[in-house]
Amino acid sequence: MSVESWGAVLAEHQADLQASWLAEVAPPLAGRVTRQELERDGRELFGALAAGAAVSGSFSDGAYDELRAVLTELSRSRARQGLTPSETATSVFAVKTAFLRAPGVQPDAAFVALSQFVDELGLFTFEVYVEARERVIGEQSEQLLELSTPVVKLWDGVVAVPLVGTLDSARTQVVMEKLLQSLVDTGSEHAIIDITGVPAVDTQVAQHLLKTILAARLMGAECQISGISPQIAQTIVALGIDFGEIRTRATLADALVHALRSTGADVVRGAGAPARTGR
Amino acid sequence: MSARGGGDEVPIAADADVVRVRQLVRARAQAAGLGLVDLTKVVTAASELARNTLVHGGGGTARVEAVAGTTAGGRPRSGVRAVFVDAGPGIPDVRAALQDGWSSGTGLGLGLSGARRLVDEFDLTSGVGSGTRVVVVKWGR
Amino acid sequence: MDRVPVLRLGGLLLVSIQVDLEDSTALALQEDLSQAVVATGARGVLIDISGLEIVDSFVGRMLSTIAAVSRVLDAETVVVGMRPAVAITLVELGLDLAGVRTALDVERGMRVLGSTTAPRADGLPLAR
């Protein structure tokens, strides 16, 4: 079929083509994309295709701008609905099937079989590609999570993790595991979680912080939380989370002084004057 | 969610079997790529449940298998599933049994409720006289 | 059945659990330790669990019981070397090992015991 001929088929049988397209795509998408939606997609797809075909046979021609817009919208909405790349692309390949079934079209059977087979190869490659790509993205975001939570050694036997930004459950869990591991790696008996840079916490995050402290205790270490803002203090009380006998400190400096004192170090300023630590 | 690789079934009839269940769950969880903390959690949960099967169910079986599924975001993930079955007296009040501190007489009463907190999916069916079946799933992150 | 060896180290008893414990082995250890505390007059018990990949409620209860029994027998117990993943799991499980003292490793555990186990009032050496 040349463009003239498929353009002619389209011009003559658009309704039939739309119907057989719908018959092709509807069953595998049943229950996930509504029939009304598919009918609209079909109308827009064939409408834009017909408009373009009337002018040009080359998809890169400006005449197909509208078709490109329709395909873009279709791909995006399928992605949002959680459909796989193959399921999405099938909506396009079904156009070919619709043409092959159109009245008066007598395709070469061997060629049709080959064409469909190659389409499947293409889809398979695409699926694997997307999967690999998603894994790379997943790994990268995990690395980012690691990077954003540095555990620093403040003193011999004292490690701290300064947290900045929004704490979600996943990130808090990563922090918790890293901090506890660093206690073992550095032989530190004191840990400080500084949340000065954290604007707010929710129940889950507060619970994770609490669990970190309890877990540190089971390992034989003490964990303090410093830099609790007035807002967070109010949240903790309002949520009814019991911090019990857990040490919280106004500033990282206070927490460090406490940790140093309990390791037996003497914290003094200048010529023996007692240290002032901000409160 | 789909099961892969058949899985293994082991009897739970003695102390040593509880250890075997732990080792089996560990191996499967490792193969599924679970992180150290998730792995420790699911092995601990399996230990609690295997002991329940032995002590309260009068023995039974544990079936451990790898599972595949997708995250809420559509990403593929793998995990481990363990199924504990006994033909013991059953639990009269399942809801009460899942409360912290509930105990059939021995222990701290953390077995069932604690195990539930350590896994991602937990399903318990039990009836008086018809035994108890517990299914747990832990997914890799 | 395997038994976990109880080592005597000056005035202390040292137990290092290196294998995945069967419940009966845990119960035997509990028994052996209280016997050993009485037999040696030890003032401190160190239990190294750095080799344990999991601690479930049964082993957790064993640790609490050992600490409680030892205390009645006038000895302090320190559990050392708990792995981070084990600690996180125990917290999630709801076990806080109340009454059990903890330390990062054997050396620090000995320091904890050294500062709390004063020599006996009769002035006799700790180990007899």
Side-chain angles (χ1 to χ4, degrees):
Chain A
M1 272 188 295
S2 66
V3 60
E4 293 79 21
S5 67
W6 68 255
V9 172
L10 181 56
E12 199 174 334
H13 302 291
Q14 189 175 336
D16 291 334
L17 288 169
Q18 259 170 248
S20 59
W21 179 85
L22 192 62
E24 186 73 14
V25 298
L29 299 180
R32 291 180 292 173
V33 183
T34 64
R35 183 142 186 111
Q36 286 90 328
E37 234 176 306
L38 287 174
E39 277 170 4
R40 196 202 55 217
D41 288 344
R43 234 180 1 256
E44 288 178 357
L45 195 57
F46 283 92
L49 187 60
V55 180
S56 164
S58 160
F59 182 55
S60 54
D61 195 289
Y64 287 101
D65 282 350
E66 195 197 332
L67 182 58
R68 269 188 287 275
V70 169
L71 289 175
T72 304
E73 182 46 38
L74 185 132
S75 309
R76 283 186 184 150
S77 81
R78 294 286 194 273
R80 275 194 293 269
Q81 284 160 321
L83 300 185
T84 66
S86 289
E87 285 167 335
T88 307
T90 306
S91 295
V92 175
F93 291 137
V95 172
K96 181 161 67 186
T97 318
F99 268 101
L100 295 175
R101 288 189 189 146
V105 176
Q106 273 152 3
D108 175 59
F111 179 73
V112 168
L114 174 67
S115 157
Q116 273 168 354
F117 187 74
V118 174
D119 286 353
E120 276 175 46
L121 299 191
L123 283 179
F124 175 78
T125 315
F126 189 45
E127 276 297 330
V128 174
Y129 172 83
V130 168
E131 212 183 290
R133 177 122 190 174
E134 270 175 7
R135 195 165 310 133
V136 169
I137 293 171
E139 278 163 14
Q140 281 170 343
S141 56
E142 218 160 88
Q143 282 164 1
L144 267 182
L145 207 61
E146 293 272 320
L147 281 177
S148 63
T149 53
V151 176
V152 292
K153 184 174 170 180
L154 286 187
W155 203 266
D156 198 25
V158 187
V159 291
V161 53
L163 294 177
V164 176
T166 312
L167 278 185
D168 60 16
S169 191
R171 188 173 166 217
T172 315
Q173 230 162 320
V174 171
V175 173
M176 172 172 178
E177 291 168 23
K178 263 184 92 172
L179 185 67
L180 296 178
Q181 187 56 49
S182 75
L183 293 175
V184 178
D185 297 342
T186 63
S188 300
E189 290 178 299
H190 292 274
I192 303 168
I193 302 175
D194 184 74
I195 58 170
T196 309
V198 176
V201 296
D202 60 18
T203 318
Q204 265 201 323
V205 169
Q207 297 279 13
H208 277 309
L209 291 174
L210 195 63
K211 285 175 189 167
T212 311
I213 293 164
L214 295 175
R217 208 174 270 176
L218 285 174
M219 293 169 57
E222 187 196 29
C223 181
Q224 306 176 73
I225 295 186
S226 67
I228 296 182
S229 68
Q231 288 91 329
I232 291 180
Q234 283 179 20
T235 313
I236 287 171
V237 173
L239 292 173
I241 296 161
D242 185 13
F243 266 56
E245 1 130 42
I246 281 153
R247 303 317 292 255
T248 54
R249 305 277 165 187
T251 66
L252 181 56
D254 288 339
L256 178 60
V257 166
H258 169 82
L260 288 175
R261 289 217 169 106
S262 37
T263 60
D266 221 358
V267 183
V268 293
R269 166 176 297 210
R276 291 171 53 100
T277 58
R279 80 162 175 183
Chain B
M1 188 168 74
S2 63
R4 291 188 310 207
D8 294 293
E9 190 166 297
V10 290
I12 304 177
D15 257 11
D17 295 330
V18 176
V19 175
R20 272 176 66 210
V21 171
R22 286 205 287 258
Q23 286 164 351
L24 191 58
V25 170
R26 167 177 300 274
R28 287 280 174 176
Q30 241 156 6
L34 266 69
L36 183 58
V37 172
D38 288 330
L39 184 129
T40 308
K41 284 181 179 176
V42 71
V43 174
T44 307
S47 183
E48 302 289 345
L49 296 171
R51 186 176 297 106
N52 271 351
T53 302
L54 179 66
V55 176
H56 305 304
T61 57
R63 181 172 182 75
V64 185
E65 58 201 5
V67 285
T70 49
T71 61
R75 270 208 297 150
R77 60 177 177 175
S78 51
V80 61
R81 172 165 53 198
V83 184
F84 299 84
V85 180
D86 69 56
I91 300 167
D93 187 347
V94 171
R95 195 186 294 179
L98 287 171
Q99 303 275 313
D100 264 356
W102 180 87
S103 170
S104 56
T106 54
L108 293 166
L110 289 169
L112 280 178
S113 59
R116 175 152 81 158
R117 279 195 293 271
L118 296 177
V119 294
D120 297 318
E121 292 167 29
F122 183 98
D123 183 56
L124 186 150
T125 42
S126 184
V128 175
S130 58
T132 302
R133 183 172 189 269
V134 185
V135 184
V136 296
V137 178
K138 186 80 180 173
W139 293 109
R141 261 186 246 159
Chain C
M1 187 187 66
D2 297 333
R3 281 190 113 84
V4 181
V6 178
L7 307 177
R8 193 169 154 186
L9 202 73
L12 306 176
L13 294 176
L14 174 64
V15 174
S16 182
I17 305 174
Q18 298 291 342
V19 292
D20 198 347
L21 285 186
E22 280 182 30
D23 289 0
S24 52
T25 314
L27 289 176
L29 172 62
Q30 200 173 303
E31 190 72 19
D32 290 351
L33 256 180
S34 50
Q35 300 279 356
V37 168
V38 174
T40 63
R43 302 297 301 266
V45 176
L46 266 177
I47 304 176
D48 177 18
I49 60 165
S50 59
L52 280 188
E53 288 173 331
I54 71 149
V55 171
D56 62 9
S57 63
F58 194 88
V59 173
R61 191 165 70 243
M62 171 199 80
L63 295 173
S64 292
T65 307
I66 288 174
V69 170
S70 304
R71 197 168 307 120
V72 173
L73 297 171
D74 199 18
E76 270 295 322
T77 302
V78 180
V79 171
V80 306
M82 187 184 291
R83 298 181 181 191
V86 171
I88 292 171
T89 302
L90 270 187
V91 169
E92 204 72 50
L93 196 58
L95 274 182
D96 58 0
L97 300 191
V100 179
R101 306 189 65 179
T102 52
L104 280 181
D105 49 38
V106 172
E107 200 187 324
R108 288 181 173 82
M110 288 177 72
R111 224 179 289 151
V112 169
L113 287 174
S115 62
T116 55
T117 52
R120 297 209 161 182
D122 55 12
L124 290 172
L126 291 184
R128 354 176 210 189

